[in-house]
Structure formats: structure tokens, C-alpha cells
Amino acid sequence: SFHLRLLTLQAMAPKRSAGASSQGPKAKVARKEVPVDPVDQAVGAVLSAIKRCEVEEEEQRLLVETCPIALRTLASNRHLFAAQVFGWAQQLLAEYGSAVAEKDAKAKSVVGAVDDRRSEAAKVKGAAEATVADCQAKLSAAKEARHQAQEELKARSAEL
């Protein structure tokens, strides 16, 4: 099927004549914006999501190859197999969505726990810094008291 399409495309491709290259470069023409089909965009989004799902390679390949047909066919016109493919894709994407939501909830829970631990650590750090400042104040007072005691001792020693 793929090879047949490739051969058909090659047969349909325009042929260059021998004199075509000697004419020189053509003038630049403004590109027209090609309208994008919303159905093609939707099918592309579904296929992209299927490719991100954690599923066996064979199942993924089957869905990627058959989904475009099932998705582009109205539900009332779908063949039984196309309806099955549509159902499989729907189920796979629902499971994928649930798994992603579960991972997201777990990640948010972990982030919340980390934030709580950071908050707790910040409180402990603040208390430790206050204790250090208090100890430094007491140390300064003790050094001053020792200095005064030494000065008083020198003064009394000089009196004797």
C-alpha cells in the first residue's frame, strides 16, 4: 500500500525539461497561506497523544495507522472495524489522561511536602539564628565582665 502510493506520487510528479534549468532563477512569488483543515489538526493532535501513551509498539502502530480513517468517518458511517479502532483510541486516551492526572496529583503532593519541609526548616533556622545571636550577646557580656574583673584585679594588686 505504501509502495503503491509512493510509485503513484512519483508518476504524478512534474518532470523538468532540459531547458528549464537554463532559464535562470524565477522571480519570488508571495506564498499564499494554505487553509488548515480543522479535522486534520484534530486527527494530528489525537495521533500525537497516542504516540505519547505508554503502550506496546504494535498496538501503537496499529492505532496510528488506522485512527485517521476512523476519526475522519462520521459515527453513523463507520464500519465495525473503524468503530472498534475509535473505541480503542478513546479507551487508550482516557487511560492515558487518568495516568497523567494521577502523576500530576502525586507530583503536586510531593511539591507540597517539600514546601512544608522548607517552611519547617526556615523556622528551625530562624530559631537557631536567634539562639546564636543570644549566645553571642552573652559571650560579649561575659568578655566585658572578665575584662572589668581583670582591671579591678590589677587596680587592687597595685594597691597592695
PDB file of all heavy atoms in Angstrom, residues 11-41:
ATOM      1  N   ALA A  11       4.999   8.987 -10.149  1.00  0.00           N
ATOM      2  CA  ALA A  11       4.484   9.076 -11.501  1.00  0.00           C
ATOM      3  C   ALA A  11       3.771  10.402 -11.734  1.00  0.00           C
ATOM      4  O   ALA A  11       3.789  10.963 -12.824  1.00  0.00           O
ATOM      5  CB  ALA A  11       3.535   7.917 -11.780  1.00  0.00           C
ATOM      6  N   MET A  12       3.167  10.948 -10.691  1.00  0.00           N
ATOM      7  CA  MET A  12       2.411  12.190 -10.806  1.00  0.00           C
ATOM      8  C   MET A  12       3.298  13.423 -10.699  1.00  0.00           C
ATOM      9  O   MET A  12       2.884  14.519 -11.035  1.00  0.00           O
ATOM     10  CB  MET A  12       1.324  12.251  -9.722  1.00  0.00           C
ATOM     11  CG  MET A  12       0.251  11.209  -9.902  1.00  0.00           C
ATOM     12  SD  MET A  12      -0.927  11.172  -8.539  1.00  0.00           S
ATOM     13  CE  MET A  12      -1.468  12.846  -8.465  1.00  0.00           C
ATOM     14  N   ALA A  13       4.530  13.263 -10.225  1.00  0.00           N
ATOM     15  CA  ALA A  13       5.413  14.402 -10.027  1.00  0.00           C
ATOM     16  C   ALA A  13       5.728  15.049 -11.369  1.00  0.00           C
ATOM     17  O   ALA A  13       5.931  14.369 -12.369  1.00  0.00           O
ATOM     18  CB  ALA A  13       6.698  13.953  -9.351  1.00  0.00           C
ATOM     19  N   PRO A  14       5.759  16.386 -11.412  1.00  0.00           N
ATOM     20  CA  PRO A  14       6.059  17.059 -12.678  1.00  0.00           C
ATOM     21  C   PRO A  14       7.512  16.793 -13.087  1.00  0.00           C
ATOM     22  O   PRO A  14       8.407  16.735 -12.258  1.00  0.00           O
ATOM     23  CB  PRO A  14       5.832  18.535 -12.358  1.00  0.00           C
ATOM     24  CG  PRO A  14       5.916  18.646 -10.881  1.00  0.00           C
ATOM     25  CD  PRO A  14       5.518  17.309 -10.333  1.00  0.00           C
ATOM     26  N   LYS A  15       7.707  16.623 -14.375  1.00  0.00           N
ATOM     27  CA  LYS A  15       9.044  16.364 -14.908  1.00  0.00           C
ATOM     28  C   LYS A  15       9.674  17.680 -15.336  1.00  0.00           C
ATOM     29  O   LYS A  15       9.005  18.566 -15.868  1.00  0.00           O
ATOM     30  CB  LYS A  15       8.964  15.429 -16.124  1.00  0.00           C
ATOM     31  CG  LYS A  15       8.229  14.135 -15.856  1.00  0.00           C
ATOM     32  CD  LYS A  15       9.014  13.252 -14.942  1.00  0.00           C
ATOM     33  CE  LYS A  15       8.297  11.919 -14.779  1.00  0.00           C
ATOM     34  NZ  LYS A  15       8.165  11.484 -13.460  1.00  0.00           N
ATOM     35  N   ARG A  16      10.940  17.822 -15.108  1.00  0.00           N
ATOM     36  CA  ARG A  16      11.666  19.010 -15.548  1.00  0.00           C
ATOM     37  C   ARG A  16      12.180  18.779 -16.960  1.00  0.00           C
ATOM     38  O   ARG A  16      12.762  17.744 -17.251  1.00  0.00           O
ATOM     39  CB  ARG A  16      12.843  19.300 -14.618  1.00  0.00           C
ATOM     40  CG  ARG A  16      12.404  19.738 -13.259  1.00  0.00           C
ATOM     41  CD  ARG A  16      13.587  20.217 -12.486  1.00  0.00           C
ATOM     42  NE  ARG A  16      13.127  20.678 -11.188  1.00  0.00           N
ATOM     43  CZ  ARG A  16      13.913  21.161 -10.274  1.00  0.00           C
ATOM     44  NH1 ARG A  16      15.204  21.242 -10.485  1.00  0.00           N
ATOM     45  NH2 ARG A  16      13.428  21.566  -9.129  1.00  0.00           N
ATOM     46  N   SER A  17      12.008  19.772 -17.761  1.00  0.00           N
ATOM     47  CA  SER A  17      12.544  19.654 -19.124  1.00  0.00           C
ATOM     48  C   SER A  17      14.007  20.075 -19.107  1.00  0.00           C
ATOM     49  O   SER A  17      14.468  20.736 -18.188  1.00  0.00           O
ATOM     50  CB  SER A  17      11.735  20.517 -20.086  1.00  0.00           C
ATOM     51  OG  SER A  17      11.830  21.876 -19.704  1.00  0.00           O
ATOM     52  N   ALA A  18      14.716  19.749 -20.160  1.00  0.00           N
ATOM     53  CA  ALA A  18      16.146  20.051 -20.219  1.00  0.00           C
ATOM     54  C   ALA A  18      16.385  21.549 -20.230  1.00  0.00           C
ATOM     55  O   ALA A  18      17.369  22.033 -19.684  1.00  0.00           O
ATOM     56  CB  ALA A  18      16.762  19.410 -21.456  1.00  0.00           C
ATOM     57  N   GLY A  19      15.505  22.336 -20.835  1.00  0.00           N
ATOM     58  CA  GLY A  19      15.701  23.778 -20.919  1.00  0.00           C
ATOM     59  C   GLY A  19      15.248  24.517 -19.683  1.00  0.00           C
ATOM     60  O   GLY A  19      15.458  25.721 -19.555  1.00  0.00           O
ATOM     61  N   ALA A  20      14.629  23.860 -18.749  1.00  0.00           N
ATOM     62  CA  ALA A  20      14.084  24.527 -17.566  1.00  0.00           C
ATOM     63  C   ALA A  20      15.176  25.128 -16.703  1.00  0.00           C
ATOM     64  O   ALA A  20      15.018  26.200 -16.149  1.00  0.00           O
ATOM     65  CB  ALA A  20      13.249  23.550 -16.744  1.00  0.00           C
ATOM     66  N   SER A  21      16.330  24.463 -16.593  1.00  0.00           N
ATOM     67  CA  SER A  21      17.383  24.963 -15.717  1.00  0.00           C
ATOM     68  C   SER A  21      18.164  26.104 -16.350  1.00  0.00           C
ATOM     69  O   SER A  21      18.814  26.872 -15.663  1.00  0.00           O
ATOM     70  CB  SER A  21      18.332  23.830 -15.321  1.00  0.00           C
ATOM     71  OG  SER A  21      18.948  23.314 -16.480  1.00  0.00           O
ATOM     72  N   SER A  22      18.107  26.250 -17.667  1.00  0.00           N
ATOM     73  CA  SER A  22      18.881  27.311 -18.315  1.00  0.00           C
ATOM     74  C   SER A  22      18.152  28.652 -18.314  1.00  0.00           C
ATOM     75  O   SER A  22      18.717  29.660 -18.729  1.00  0.00           O
ATOM     76  CB  SER A  22      19.226  26.894 -19.749  1.00  0.00           C
ATOM     77  OG  SER A  22      18.026  26.753 -20.498  1.00  0.00           O
ATOM     78  N   GLN A  23      16.924  28.682 -17.881  1.00  0.00           N
ATOM     79  CA  GLN A  23      16.156  29.923 -17.876  1.00  0.00           C
ATOM     80  C   GLN A  23      16.567  30.844 -16.742  1.00  0.00           C
ATOM     81  O   GLN A  23      16.222  31.997 -16.748  1.00  0.00           O
ATOM     82  CB  GLN A  23      14.660  29.626 -17.782  1.00  0.00           C
ATOM     83  CG  GLN A  23      14.130  28.917 -19.007  1.00  0.00           C
ATOM     84  CD  GLN A  23      12.667  28.534 -18.836  1.00  0.00           C
ATOM     85  OE1 GLN A  23      12.089  28.766 -17.787  1.00  0.00           O
ATOM     86  NE2 GLN A  23      12.095  27.939 -19.862  1.00  0.00           N
ATOM     87  N   GLY A  24      17.254  30.378 -15.788  1.00  0.00           N
ATOM     88  CA  GLY A  24      17.672  31.189 -14.650  1.00  0.00           C
ATOM     89  C   GLY A  24      16.640  31.121 -13.535  1.00  0.00           C
ATOM     90  O   GLY A  24      15.597  30.495 -13.667  1.00  0.00           O
ATOM     91  N   PRO A  25      16.942  31.799 -12.437  1.00  0.00           N
ATOM     92  CA  PRO A  25      16.023  31.736 -11.299  1.00  0.00           C
ATOM     93  C   PRO A  25      14.727  32.484 -11.601  1.00  0.00           C
ATOM     94  O   PRO A  25      14.715  33.494 -12.300  1.00  0.00           O
ATOM     95  CB  PRO A  25      16.799  32.419 -10.174  1.00  0.00           C
ATOM     96  CG  PRO A  25      17.825  33.255 -10.869  1.00  0.00           C
ATOM     97  CD  PRO A  25      18.110  32.590 -12.178  1.00  0.00           C
ATOM     98  N   LYS A  26      13.646  31.953 -11.058  1.00  0.00           N
ATOM     99  CA  LYS A  26      12.338  32.582 -11.245  1.00  0.00           C
ATOM    100  C   LYS A  26      12.168  33.689 -10.219  1.00  0.00           C
ATOM    101  O   LYS A  26      12.790  33.683  -9.166  1.00  0.00           O
ATOM    102  CB  LYS A  26      11.224  31.550 -11.060  1.00  0.00           C
ATOM    103  CG  LYS A  26      11.214  30.489 -12.135  1.00  0.00           C
ATOM    104  CD  LYS A  26      10.049  29.551 -11.933  1.00  0.00           C
ATOM    105  CE  LYS A  26      10.016  28.491 -13.008  1.00  0.00           C
ATOM    106  NZ  LYS A  26       8.862  27.616 -12.851  1.00  0.00           N
ATOM    107  N   ALA A  27      11.299  34.635 -10.535  1.00  0.00           N
ATOM    108  CA  ALA A  27      11.002  35.715  -9.600  1.00  0.00           C
ATOM    109  C   ALA A  27      10.287  35.138  -8.387  1.00  0.00           C
ATOM    110  O   ALA A  27       9.513  34.191  -8.502  1.00  0.00           O
ATOM    111  CB  ALA A  27      10.129  36.765 -10.276  1.00  0.00           C
ATOM    112  N   LYS A  28      10.556  35.728  -7.222  1.00  0.00           N
ATOM    113  CA  LYS A  28       9.920  35.245  -5.995  1.00  0.00           C
ATOM    114  C   LYS A  28       8.450  35.631  -6.008  1.00  0.00           C
ATOM    115  O   LYS A  28       8.093  36.750  -6.347  1.00  0.00           O
ATOM    116  CB  LYS A  28      10.599  35.837  -4.769  1.00  0.00           C
ATOM    117  CG  LYS A  28      11.992  35.308  -4.565  1.00  0.00           C
ATOM    118  CD  LYS A  28      12.558  35.781  -3.264  1.00  0.00           C
ATOM    119  CE  LYS A  28      13.948  35.193  -3.062  1.00  0.00           C
ATOM    120  NZ  LYS A  28      14.519  35.610  -1.804  1.00  0.00           N
ATOM    121  N   VAL A  29       7.643  34.691  -5.617  1.00  0.00           N
ATOM    122  CA  VAL A  29       6.206  34.908  -5.567  1.00  0.00           C
ATOM    123  C   VAL A  29       5.776  34.771  -4.113  1.00  0.00           C
ATOM    124  O   VAL A  29       6.227  33.881  -3.403  1.00  0.00           O
ATOM    125  CB  VAL A  29       5.471  33.856  -6.439  1.00  0.00           C
ATOM    126  CG1 VAL A  29       3.972  34.050  -6.362  1.00  0.00           C
ATOM    127  CG2 VAL A  29       5.963  33.919  -7.862  1.00  0.00           C
ATOM    128  N   ALA A  30       4.914  35.665  -3.669  1.00  0.00           N
ATOM    129  CA  ALA A  30       4.430  35.599  -2.288  1.00  0.00           C
ATOM    130  C   ALA A  30       3.674  34.296  -2.076  1.00  0.00           C
ATOM    131  O   ALA A  30       2.861  33.898  -2.912  1.00  0.00           O
ATOM    132  CB  ALA A  30       3.527  36.788  -1.995  1.00  0.00           C
ATOM    133  N   ARG A  31       3.953  33.658  -0.982  1.00  0.00           N
ATOM    134  CA  ARG A  31       3.270  32.401  -0.660  1.00  0.00           C
ATOM    135  C   ARG A  31       1.867  32.692  -0.174  1.00  0.00           C
ATOM    136  O   ARG A  31       1.644  33.575   0.644  1.00  0.00           O
ATOM    137  CB  ARG A  31       4.019  31.638   0.430  1.00  0.00           C
ATOM    138  CG  ARG A  31       5.332  31.111  -0.011  1.00  0.00           C
ATOM    139  CD  ARG A  31       5.926  30.269   1.083  1.00  0.00           C
ATOM    140  NE  ARG A  31       7.256  29.817   0.703  1.00  0.00           N
ATOM    141  CZ  ARG A  31       8.006  29.059   1.461  1.00  0.00           C
ATOM    142  NH1 ARG A  31       7.574  28.689   2.635  1.00  0.00           N
ATOM    143  NH2 ARG A  31       9.192  28.683   1.053  1.00  0.00           N
ATOM    144  N   LYS A  32       0.959  31.901  -0.662  1.00  0.00           N
ATOM    145  CA  LYS A  32      -0.412  32.013  -0.183  1.00  0.00           C
ATOM    146  C   LYS A  32      -0.557  31.087   1.015  1.00  0.00           C
ATOM    147  O   LYS A  32      -0.044  29.976   1.022  1.00  0.00           O
ATOM    148  CB  LYS A  32      -1.400  31.585  -1.270  1.00  0.00           C
ATOM    149  CG  LYS A  32      -1.419  32.506  -2.465  1.00  0.00           C
ATOM    150  CD  LYS A  32      -2.424  32.004  -3.483  1.00  0.00           C
ATOM    151  CE  LYS A  32      -2.413  32.884  -4.719  1.00  0.00           C
ATOM    152  NZ  LYS A  32      -3.346  32.397  -5.742  1.00  0.00           N
ATOM    153  N   GLU A  33      -1.246  31.576   2.024  1.00  0.00           N
ATOM    154  CA  GLU A  33      -1.472  30.732   3.193  1.00  0.00           C
ATOM    155  C   GLU A  33      -2.493  29.673   2.840  1.00  0.00           C
ATOM    156  O   GLU A  33      -3.582  29.988   2.354  1.00  0.00           O
ATOM    157  CB  GLU A  33      -1.961  31.568   4.375  1.00  0.00           C
ATOM    158  CG  GLU A  33      -0.873  32.431   4.977  1.00  0.00           C
ATOM    159  CD  GLU A  33      -1.317  33.062   6.283  1.00  0.00           C
ATOM    160  OE1 GLU A  33      -2.124  32.447   7.009  1.00  0.00           O
ATOM    161  OE2 GLU A  33      -0.852  34.160   6.563  1.00  0.00           O
ATOM    162  N   VAL A  34      -2.099  28.455   3.055  1.00  0.00           N
ATOM    163  CA  VAL A  34      -2.993  27.346   2.776  1.00  0.00           C
ATOM    164  C   VAL A  34      -3.885  27.158   4.000  1.00  0.00           C
ATOM    165  O   VAL A  34      -3.379  27.018   5.122  1.00  0.00           O
ATOM    166  CB  VAL A  34      -2.181  26.058   2.497  1.00  0.00           C
ATOM    167  CG1 VAL A  34      -3.099  24.879   2.260  1.00  0.00           C
ATOM    168  CG2 VAL A  34      -1.241  26.281   1.332  1.00  0.00           C
ATOM    169  N   PRO A  35      -5.185  27.158   3.809  1.00  0.00           N
ATOM    170  CA  PRO A  35      -6.064  26.971   4.971  1.00  0.00           C
ATOM    171  C   PRO A  35      -5.861  25.575   5.565  1.00  0.00           C
ATOM    172  O   PRO A  35      -5.721  24.599   4.841  1.00  0.00           O
ATOM    173  CB  PRO A  35      -7.474  27.129   4.405  1.00  0.00           C
ATOM    174  CG  PRO A  35      -7.343  26.937   2.937  1.00  0.00           C
ATOM    175  CD  PRO A  35      -5.932  27.297   2.575  1.00  0.00           C
ATOM    176  N   VAL A  36      -5.814  25.526   6.879  1.00  0.00           N
ATOM    177  CA  VAL A  36      -5.593  24.256   7.572  1.00  0.00           C
ATOM    178  C   VAL A  36      -6.950  23.671   7.917  1.00  0.00           C
ATOM    179  O   VAL A  36      -7.814  24.347   8.482  1.00  0.00           O
ATOM    180  CB  VAL A  36      -4.764  24.483   8.855  1.00  0.00           C
ATOM    181  CG1 VAL A  36      -4.568  23.170   9.576  1.00  0.00           C
ATOM    182  CG2 VAL A  36      -3.435  25.117   8.504  1.00  0.00           C
ATOM    183  N   ASP A  37      -7.117  22.431   7.548  1.00  0.00           N
ATOM    184  CA  ASP A  37      -8.366  21.729   7.826  1.00  0.00           C
ATOM    185  C   ASP A  37      -8.433  21.408   9.320  1.00  0.00           C
ATOM    186  O   ASP A  37      -7.533  20.760   9.862  1.00  0.00           O
ATOM    187  CB  ASP A  37      -8.417  20.445   6.995  1.00  0.00           C
ATOM    188  CG  ASP A  37      -9.715  19.674   7.178  1.00  0.00           C
ATOM    189  OD1 ASP A  37     -10.672  20.236   7.742  1.00  0.00           O
ATOM    190  OD2 ASP A  37      -9.766  18.505   6.739  1.00  0.00           O
ATOM    191  N   PRO A  38      -9.484  21.855  10.027  1.00  0.00           N
ATOM    192  CA  PRO A  38      -9.575  21.579  11.469  1.00  0.00           C
ATOM    193  C   PRO A  38      -9.647  20.082  11.780  1.00  0.00           C
ATOM    194  O   PRO A  38      -9.180  19.646  12.827  1.00  0.00           O
ATOM    195  CB  PRO A  38     -10.845  22.299  11.912  1.00  0.00           C
ATOM    196  CG  PRO A  38     -11.555  22.713  10.679  1.00  0.00           C
ATOM    197  CD  PRO A  38     -10.590  22.649   9.542  1.00  0.00           C
ATOM    198  N   VAL A  39     -10.197  19.308  10.855  1.00  0.00           N
ATOM    199  CA  VAL A  39     -10.251  17.862  11.082  1.00  0.00           C
ATOM    200  C   VAL A  39      -8.833  17.293  11.055  1.00  0.00           C
ATOM    201  O   VAL A  39      -8.478  16.461  11.890  1.00  0.00           O
ATOM    202  CB  VAL A  39     -11.151  17.171  10.026  1.00  0.00           C
ATOM    203  CG1 VAL A  39     -11.075  15.655  10.159  1.00  0.00           C
ATOM    204  CG2 VAL A  39     -12.581  17.645  10.153  1.00  0.00           C
ATOM    205  N   ASP A  40      -8.011  17.767  10.109  1.00  0.00           N
ATOM    206  CA  ASP A  40      -6.615  17.310  10.052  1.00  0.00           C
ATOM    207  C   ASP A  40      -5.870  17.693  11.324  1.00  0.00           C
ATOM    208  O   ASP A  40      -5.064  16.918  11.840  1.00  0.00           O
ATOM    209  CB  ASP A  40      -5.897  17.902   8.838  1.00  0.00           C
ATOM    210  CG  ASP A  40      -6.338  17.247   7.534  1.00  0.00           C
ATOM    211  OD1 ASP A  40      -6.900  16.136   7.589  1.00  0.00           O
ATOM    212  OD2 ASP A  40      -6.113  17.857   6.467  1.00  0.00           O
ATOM    213  N   GLN A  41      -6.137  18.894  11.834  1.00  0.00           N
ATOM    214  CA  GLN A  41      -5.494  19.322  13.090  1.00  0.00           C
ATOM    215  C   GLN A  41      -5.915  18.418  14.241  1.00  0.00           C
ATOM    216  O   GLN A  41      -5.087  17.999  15.046  1.00  0.00           O
ATOM    217  CB  GLN A  41      -5.870  20.765  13.415  1.00  0.00           C
ATOM    218  CG  GLN A  41      -5.137  21.793  12.618  1.00  0.00           C
ATOM    219  CD  GLN A  41      -5.503  23.203  13.049  1.00  0.00           C
ATOM    220  OE1 GLN A  41      -6.652  23.488  13.385  1.00  0.00           O
ATOM    221  NE2 GLN A  41      -4.523  24.082  13.041  1.00  0.00           N
TER     222      GLN A  41
END
